[in-house]
Amino acid sequence: MADTLSLFERRFALLLSILLAAMGMTMVAAARHGVMAVHGFITIALGVGLVLALGRVYYSAPPVAERAGRFYDAPTRLGIAMTLIWAIIGMGAGVWVSALLYWPDATPAVPWTSFGRLRPVHTTGIIFGFGGNALIATSFHVLQRTSRARLAGSVSPWFVLIGYNLFCVWAVTGYLMGSTQSKEYAEAEWYADLWLVVVWVTYFVLYMRTLARREEPHIYVANWYYLAFILVVAMLHIVNNLALPLRLNAAESLPVWSGVQDAMVQWWYGHNAVAFFLTAGFLGMLYYFLPVRSGRPIWSYRLSIVSFWGITFFYIWVGSHHLHYTALPYWVQTLGMTFSVMLLVPSWASAGNAIATLNGAWNKVRDDATLRFMFVAAVFYGLSTFEGSFLAIRPVNSLSHYTDWTVGHVHSGTLGWVAMIVFGAIYTLVPQLSGRETMASSRAVEWHFWLAVAGTLIYVVAMWNAGITQGLMWRAYNENGALSYSFVQSVEKMAPYYLLRTIGGALFLAGAVICVLNCRATVLLAKGEAADRPLVRQPAE
Amino acid sequence: MSDTTDPRKLPSADPHTGNRRVDPITGYDTTGHDWGGITELNTAFPKIVIWALALTFLYSLVAWILLPAWPLGRDYTRGILGLDQGEQAIEGLRELTDDRLPWLSRFSDGDLRALQSDAVLIRQAMPAAERLFEDNCSACHGATGRGGPGFPVLADGYWLWGDDPGGIAETIRFGINSDHADARIAEMPSFDWMARADRLALADYVARLPGAGPVHSSLPGAALFTENCAACHGDGGRGDLEAGAPSLTDDAVIYGQDRSTVMETLSRGRRGVMPAWIDRLSAAEINLLAIYVYRLGQPVGEGAQ
């Protein structure tokens, strides 16, 4: 990494690494013990590691002068590696906690292995670790390609990636030690949240500065989506995480929101994390990699623009559908429900646009597993957005809420849509960045594809059955007005579905392991750099 | 950066007419944009999307007219159906309660023994009692009242506190060692002050008590028992219902009556907690449960439907 930097940039990076280590030392010195001190030690280790890495190449030859005329792909490589590492951590934790639901007695009598601590490791590992790294890595790639410009900074891309992963590590290790804000998908404590703000602002500035350098008159729609992701996630993150630390040298804090306002802010955040983290950014990925891989033009330019604004406008309203039939006022619930239904149209327009783009390339979909990943992603995107709008309707929600149907819905989105499009993008990017035409093994990609599809289907179908069974059992009364089933009976009924879910998840994880090995083999067989690296100037200039 | 919007200057456009490349497969022309190879078709906006948008908007409009929907400063639009989710919840609860009222109300007072012999009533009530038990009690006592280490079996007909539904209802109402003022108190003190050898002798003695016919008065533990334990556990460990100390001669155990468990009981003491239910269940529900629990211990056939 450091050999891509000029001497001045190496000095600057060195300074940042020393500051990072100093920040770690401050945390250790202030906290002395507990979660914050452990995080301080992790930070010191990272800072010192970076100093050593920079020192090793400090005196090596500076990069060639014409690097300014090339795309900057080294950060993308790191981002993809981190994506794959987090995929294994996050999916592994997921399969493990899912197995615990089937074999609860398998929980070792050690606090950090308990279900409650491992579950956020799974969600954070997947959403932020796997999804977030994939988004950052591909956004760097897509931004440069569609703007015909090099990233506007040499150190800041590294700062964004490394800083972001430090946040993920702090978050996940914190949960293992029992530290949490108890807000779903926002469990990390206050100083980690502050750190993420710094990283995110750097990311935003880098993105905007690169866009400003673009050689193209218009901004490609993928960049609109990535920008919406960066901007809205910043807003959500800051508002939902407003908290007062109990002490400045400890991890604990109290949220500034309370009662039903807290619940509303949390689910405004939570649902828009789905919208802008798990949807908008990945739509950006889809809008770039699908046409590139299929060699087809986007079916409708107008549709892509209208659905972008539709999705951004409608999504912001719908968070309250997570709080149907609660203390939240009825009118807020009605708004959440109706906007969820209207949201379906732009969502389907995006999915339809993606699928129509494949017109004329169906033979490629049949032959190329990578393109098939993207096709399946678009289909699952359509399915899970339909399901989402449906579940948001109040009476439907009275059946589905608090059941495993919700879990099934989330995973049809995350496995079927998000992970599929990420794998499609990875299988396009990894050979390209290694100067190759194909992955090391195309058969392995094919295997991965079928494992992933089978795993997703087993998982989702099992959870639909589980959720509807639970919902019906909980609301059944006999003719004398007594409940027909006790809660325990509904739990016992779940056993086969929970086993199936574990199997589905394990298949999906197996596919991801194959992907990691295949990517490693491909990188080891690299034939140089990406073929498109010299920046092509517009012929008009 | 060239920011022209003149169609003739765009890449792939004909420099004279401004016409753009036509996609051979769909026959649509392209927008003229080209992002590193990605192009876009200039497809007309599909009508069906407009219709779908209109339809979902119509749905929303109807919902907004019927239901509470838009905030108006301190108030909100009430909707012409005039629905209030608080009232709806109370109404729904009342309807469910009304379904149960005819038979459940008969349990709120009255002679439990008499109720118990009303076969029709019992047939109506027992499924509900079973759900109540499974939802509230099974976590400790097991789904069928078979108990577990630390939690007594309720299905064996051995009762520490009163062996009729009335006494059992009292236990459920106030609990044992619970935080309720009227709780039953059952405390097995710790004998950690006693010499280990004596404790071992006692453990040996107690472990032999269940089932065996003759009292082992010759064992070294026997005298120690009379001296230290009989006050609560009764002569020879036959039990003393007033103190909540279980009989040590029968087969029913809470913690276990093997040597090592008894050693643990002796060195640490025991103080099992049964929560008070008076604030969580209605009087009728508690009485219903008392009868249900009592019937668990009855031999099948007797008192059964």
Side-chain angles (χ1 to χ4, degrees):
Chain A
M1 100 189 212
D3 46 357
T4 59
L5 304 178
S6 71
L7 190 61
F8 171 76
E9 289 158 354
R10 287 175 196 178
R11 286 195 187 130
F12 182 52
L14 206 56
L15 176 71
L16 283 181
S17 311
I18 294 170
L19 284 178
L20 190 68
M23 179 173 87
M25 282 180 224
T26 318
M27 288 167 72
V28 174
R32 283 157 198 258
H33 56 80
V35 179
M36 198 189 226
V38 175
H39 286 162
F41 279 118
I42 293 176
T43 313
I44 297 175
L46 178 65
V48 171
L50 287 172
V51 168
L52 292 179
L54 282 162
R56 267 224 328 256
V57 290
Y58 191 78
Y59 292 108
S60 67
V64 277
E66 67 266 27
R67 66 165 190 168
R70 294 167 158 245
F71 291 129
Y72 195 21
D73 286 336
T76 308
R77 286 202 190 89
L78 174 71
I80 291 179
M82 293 314 298
T83 306
L84 292 170
I85 292 173
W86 281 107
I88 302 304
I89 299 175
M91 293 178 196
V95 174
W96 173 245
V97 290
S98 132
L100 283 187
L101 284 172
Y102 185 71
W103 289 286
D105 295 339
T107 316
V110 190
W112 67 265
T113 61
S114 67
F115 182 90
R117 293 193 189 181
L118 286 177
R119 184 193 185 267
V121 171
H122 164 60
T123 51
T124 301
I126 286 298
I127 300 175
F128 294 101
F130 171 68
N133 275 299
L135 285 169
I136 297 176
T138 56
S139 75
F140 287 166
H141 180 89
V142 171
L143 173 62
Q144 298 185 90
R145 271 23 176 222
T146 57
S147 308
R148 242 173 248 185
R150 183 183 164 86
L151 283 179
S154 297
V155 179
S156 54
W158 299 108
F159 176 79
V160 170
L161 268 171
I162 297 174
Y164 180 75
N165 280 286
L166 178 64
F167 164 79
C168 295
V169 169
W170 274 357
V172 162
T173 51
Y175 312 152
L176 291 179
M177 291 181 279
S179 160
T180 169
Q181 285 192 138
S182 305
K183 282 180 165 246
E184 200 169 9
Y185 315 132
E187 291 93 346
E189 276 291 358
W190 62 274
Y191 54 90
D193 292 335
L194 282 177
W195 174 248
L196 185 60
V197 172
V198 175
V199 169
W200 215 250
V201 169
T202 316
Y203 184 24
F204 179 67
V205 171
L206 171 65
Y207 210 94
M208 293 306 280
R209 287 185 54 221
T210 311
L211 263 186
R213 287 183 172 189
R214 72 184 186 282
E215 290 286 344
E216 298 285 355
H218 296 261
I219 299 175
Y220 183 52
V221 65
N223 289 314
W224 286 107
Y225 278 109
Y226 278 119
L227 263 182
F229 147 66
I230 300 173
L231 204 64
V232 181
V233 166
M235 172 175 85
L236 300 168
H237 173 76
I238 293 174
V239 175
N240 189 40
N241 284 301
L242 287 177
L244 293 176
L246 287 189
R247 278 175 292 128
L248 283 179
N249 61 354
E252 293 79 19
S253 66
L254 294 172
V256 301
W257 311 107
S258 63
V260 76
Q261 279 89 353
D262 184 43
M264 186 61 245
V265 170
Q266 160 62 26
W267 284 108
W268 170 76
Y269 165 89
H271 198 81
N272 286 300
V274 175
F276 289 91
F277 211 104
L278 293 176
T279 301
F282 292 96
L283 279 171
M285 218 184 263
L286 181 77
Y287 269 114
Y288 179 80
F289 288 99
L290 186 83
V292 161
R293 190 75 187 187
S294 62
R296 296 287 308 145
I298 288 289
W299 182 68
S300 168
Y301 169 65
R302 292 154 208 250
L303 204 55
S304 67
I305 297 298
V306 171
S307 29
F308 170 77
W309 288 108
I311 287 176
T312 0
F313 175 69
F314 288 136
Y315 247 125
I316 283 284
W317 294 76
V318 305
S320 57
H321 72 216
H322 287 256
L323 296 165
H324 281 334
Y325 301 100
T326 65
L328 189 76
Y330 199 162
W331 63 264
V332 197
Q333 300 176 24
T334 309
L335 288 182
M337 169 176 88
T338 48
F339 275 86
S340 305
V341 170
M342 292 191 280
L343 175 61
L344 179 61
V345 180
S347 301
W348 268 30
S350 298
N353 205 2
I355 293 173
T357 297
L358 292 172
N359 269 341
W362 290 110
N363 57 327
K364 290 193 191 167
V365 177
R366 190 190 57 215
D367 298 337
D368 177 10
T370 304
L371 191 56
R372 232 178 298 134
F373 266 113
M374 301 181 198
F375 166 65
V376 170
V379 171
F380 267 99
Y381 175 61
L383 280 180
S384 54
T385 47
F386 173 76
E387 189 181 27
S389 299
F390 181 61
L391 294 178
I393 299 174
R394 251 170 129 252
V396 181
N397 195 266
S398 78
L399 176 73
S400 73
H401 204 184
Y402 308 116
T403 73
D404 281 312
W405 192 350
T406 309
V407 182
H409 168 58
V410 169
H411 284 81
S412 99
T414 47
L415 301 179
W417 151 233
V418 170
M420 296 283 182
I421 188 65
V422 170
F423 289 129
I426 286 182
Y427 285 133
T428 310
L429 268 182
V430 169
Q432 191 192 342
L433 296 184
S434 317
R436 291 172 51 94
E437 293 279 300
T438 56
M439 293 290 295
S441 161
S442 309
R443 283 202 38 199
V445 181
E446 197 70 41
W447 268 95
H448 179 190
F449 175 79
W450 289 110
L451 282 170
V453 170
T456 307
L457 285 178
I458 293 177
Y459 190 119
V460 172
V461 173
M463 287 301 100
W464 281 336
N465 280 301
I468 294 174
T469 308
Q470 286 170 322
L472 292 177
M473 284 179 91
W474 294 345
R475 58 162 53 178
Y477 286 86
N478 72 10
E479 70 281 6
N480 292 320
L483 284 170
S484 298
Y485 305 97
S486 63
F487 185 74
V488 189
Q489 283 173 319
S490 76
V491 175
E492 284 164 353
K493 269 274 185 307
M494 292 303 109
Y497 305 125
Y498 285 2
L499 181 63
L500 277 175
R501 163 178 49 199
T502 308
I503 294 172
L507 291 180
F508 202 90
L509 172 66
V513 172
I514 293 180
C515 173
V516 172
L517 298 176
N518 201 0
C519 287
R520 211 184 113 79
T522 309
V523 171
L524 290 179
L525 292 174
K527 294 198 185 114
E529 313 206 297
D532 67 347
R533 284 201 62 176
L535 286 177
V536 214
R537 300 253 145 201
Q538 291 248 106
E541 294 186 351
Chain B
M1 150 174 156
S2 73
D3 37 15
T4 174
T5 45
D6 179 352
R8 282 169 301 180
K9 294 206 177 128
L10 287 172
S12 91
D14 184 301
H16 302 294
T17 62
N19 286 344
R20 284 161 305 214
R21 200 172 65 80
V22 170
D23 173 51
I25 292 173
T26 50
Y28 292 125
D29 64 343
T30 56
T31 55
H33 307 149
D34 180 345
W35 288 282
I38 301 182
T39 54
E40 294 160 330
L41 297 182
N42 199 16
T43 315
F45 198 79
K47 288 246 161 30
I48 182 159
V49 176
I50 299 175
W51 280 110
L53 260 179
L55 201 71
T56 54
F57 186 72
L58 194 70
Y59 165 83
S60 303
L61 208 62
V62 172
W64 294 337
I65 293 172
L66 295 180
L67 305 172
W70 286 92
L72 309 164
R74 305 192 138 268
D75 201 2
Y76 55 89
T77 59
R78 303 283 167 146
I80 55 177
L81 292 184
L83 297 181
D84 176 301
Q85 64 164 354
E87 283 168 11
Q88 282 180 300
I90 292 169
E91 180 56 31
L93 188 66
R94 195 173 20 242
E95 274 170 24
L96 282 172
T97 324
D98 285 351
D99 280 349
R100 286 191 292 263
L101 212 57
W103 56 267
L104 189 61
S105 58
R106 293 186 52 199
F107 286 88
S108 36
D109 44 24
D111 179 5
L112 296 192
R113 276 194 185 282
L115 288 174
Q116 205 199 337
S117 46
D118 182 339
V120 179
L121 180 65
I122 289 294
R123 197 171 316 122
Q124 264 180 330
M126 278 308 116
E130 191 181 330
R131 298 305 112 65
L132 265 181
F133 186 83
E134 284 177 344
D135 281 338
N136 293 290
C137 323
S138 64
C140 295
H141 291 290
T144 53
R146 303 297 322 163
F151 302 104
V153 184
L154 300 180
D156 59 3
Y158 291 106
W159 296 107
L160 273 174
W161 303 95
D163 52 2
D164 64 324
I168 294 174
E170 172 116 354
T171 309
I172 301 173
R173 212 171 288 133
F174 303 120
I176 304 167
N177 298 328
S178 71
D179 46 15
H180 196 278
D182 295 328
R184 301 187 186 276
I185 304 293
E187 206 162 340
M188 161 77 198
S190 152
F191 285 84
D192 54 355
W193 48 267
M194 198 182 255
R196 189 175 154 78
D198 288 351
R199 274 186 280 147
L200 278 170
L202 269 170
D204 185 53
Y205 175 75
V206 170
R208 287 172 193 244
L209 281 177
V215 186
H216 313 267
S217 49
S218 57
L219 286 170
L224 281 166
F225 191 89
T226 316
E227 205 173 303
N228 296 291
C229 323
C232 295
H233 287 281
D235 283 337
R238 272 189 308 278
D240 180 332
L241 293 179
E242 297 308 299
S247 152
L248 300 176
T249 54
D250 57 25
D251 296 324
V253 292
I254 303 177
Y255 303 98
Q257 227 163 294
D258 55 288
R259 258 179 218 93
S260 65
T261 313
V262 175
M263 278 302 278
E264 199 181 317
T265 302
L266 287 176
S267 47
R268 300 231 203 123
R270 297 285 190 190
R271 196 172 184 279
V273 174
M274 154 79 184
W277 293 91
I278 187 164
D279 294 329
R280 301 191 53 182
L281 299 176
S282 71
E285 284 168 329
I286 288 177
N287 288 338
L288 179 62
L289 272 173
I291 294 182
Y292 174 79
V293 167
Y294 175 74
R295 286 162 52 91
L296 284 180
Q298 298 286 306
V300 190
E302 185 188 330
Q305 294 90 326

